[in-house]
């Protein structure tokens, strides 16, 4: 039994951890321009989460209903030690974005728990004080739409017209540097359209 449990957790670590110690996004097939699915907003969101998303519960629960042109999407797993380590950094990034009027108007954060059920995403949100909504993906449906990308993954999605990935961010950067990357990504794609 112990050997079976050890094998299971070892498999989860291999799934979540980078092959190379410096850059987990290296070799991920997700690229700028790739489509992003109109995912259902599954899960039990608080009233605060619904207000943040700007989505009225009774009018539909999907990505397209979020009142924002861009999304910062974090693909994570509760069993990913790198994801756990990065949770405070993403909370800092989220709070910084909320203090910037331009970014606050133009981008919302969501997390997708690859292989995680509702209980696991709720635990991750509570234990790591994640300030933005987390969506469970227990059947890996969204994860598969992202070409089985490794966690953690940070992407910016332009949800105007046909949702597409416009930037794959380096999650190892400091929050201040990620803020610059987010601003640059939004500015470039807002000016080009």
């Amino acid at each position: 039994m112990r050997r079976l449990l050890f094998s299971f957790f070892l498999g989860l670590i291999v799934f979540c951890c980078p092959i190379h110690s410096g850059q987990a996004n290296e070799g991920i097939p997700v690229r700028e321009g790739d489509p992003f699915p109109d995912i259902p907003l599954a899960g039990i969101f608080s009233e605060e989460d619904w207000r943040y998303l700007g989505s009225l519960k009774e009018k539909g629960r999907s990505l397209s209903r979020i009142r924002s042109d861009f999304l910062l999407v974090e693909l994570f797993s509760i069993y990913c030690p790198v994801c756990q380590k990065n949770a405070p950094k993403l909370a800092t990034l989220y709070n910084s974005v909320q203090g910037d009027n331009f970014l606050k108007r133009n981008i919302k954060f969501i997390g997708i728990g690859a292989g995680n059920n509702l209980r696991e995403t709720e635990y991750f949100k509570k234990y790591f004080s994640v300030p933005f909504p987390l969506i469970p993906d227990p059947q890996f449906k969204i994860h598969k739409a992202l070409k089985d990308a490794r966690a953690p993954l940070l992407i910016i999605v332009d949800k105007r017209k046909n949702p597409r990935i416009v930037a794959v961010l380096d999650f190892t950067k400091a929050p201040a540097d990620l803020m610059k990357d987010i601003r640059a990504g939004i500015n470039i794609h807002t000016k080009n359209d």
Side-chain angles (χ1 to χ4, degrees):
M1 183 65 164
R2 284 184 179 188
R3 187 175 288 181
L4 181 63
L5 284 173
F6 176 76
S7 297
F8 174 74
F9 285 113
L10 183 62
L12 285 173
I13 289 171
V14 168
F15 165 75
C16 295
C17 291
I19 294 172
H20 305 287
S21 61
Q23 184 83 337
N25 288 348
E26 190 171 291
I28 292 176
V30 173
R31 291 188 285 277
E32 292 180 17
D34 285 352
F36 192 84
D38 188 16
I39 59 176
L41 297 178
I44 299 172
F45 297 134
S46 67
E47 288 301 317
E48 183 180 338
D49 285 344
W50 284 117
R51 274 193 305 278
Y52 169 70
L53 295 173
S55 177
L56 301 175
K57 292 184 281 189
E58 60 275 3
K59 290 204 173 182
R61 294 179 166 201
S62 68
L63 175 89
S64 60
R65 304 298 300 184
I66 296 174
R67 292 189 188 144
S68 175
D69 289 339
F70 296 90
L71 293 174
L72 184 132
V73 178
E74 176 198 17
L75 180 70
F76 75 96
S77 172
I78 192 171
Y79 302 106
C80 168
V82 178
C83 301
Q84 295 171 10
K85 182 180 174 185
N86 280 333
K89 182 186 346 181
L90 282 177
T92 300
L93 177 62
Y94 170 86
N95 291 327
S96 297
V97 165
Q98 296 312 299
D100 181 297
N101 286 331
F102 172 76
L103 292 178
K104 183 179 178 179
R105 277 192 321 270
N106 286 290
I107 194 164
K108 302 285 185 193
F109 285 49
I110 60 169
I112 299 169
N116 298 157
N117 62 33
L118 178 61
R119 188 168 28 107
E120 290 167 323
T121 55
E122 287 177 338
Y123 178 83
F124 192 88
K125 183 175 176 71
K126 183 177 180 181
Y127 187 81
F128 294 104
S129 302
V130 176
F132 50 88
L134 300 180
I135 299 167
D137 183 25
Q139 304 300 318
F140 293 98
K141 290 178 183 176
I142 303 166
H143 181 252
K144 290 203 181 307
L146 292 173
K147 302 177 183 178
D148 295 321
R150 287 184 180 220
L153 173 70
L154 284 179
I155 56 176
I156 298 176
V157 174
D158 182 345
K159 56 182 280 300
R160 302 169 297 168
K161 301 177 190 171
N162 297 319
R164 68 188 192 285
I165 297 169
V166 295
V168 179
L169 301 176
D170 180 355
F171 72 89
T172 64
K173 287 186 174 182
D177 294 326
L178 285 169
M179 282 274 289
K180 291 175 189 172
D181 293 346
I182 292 168
R183 183 179 296 282
I186 290 175
N187 281 333
I188 288 170
H189 292 284
T190 303
K191 290 176 184 175
N192 288 342
D193 292 337

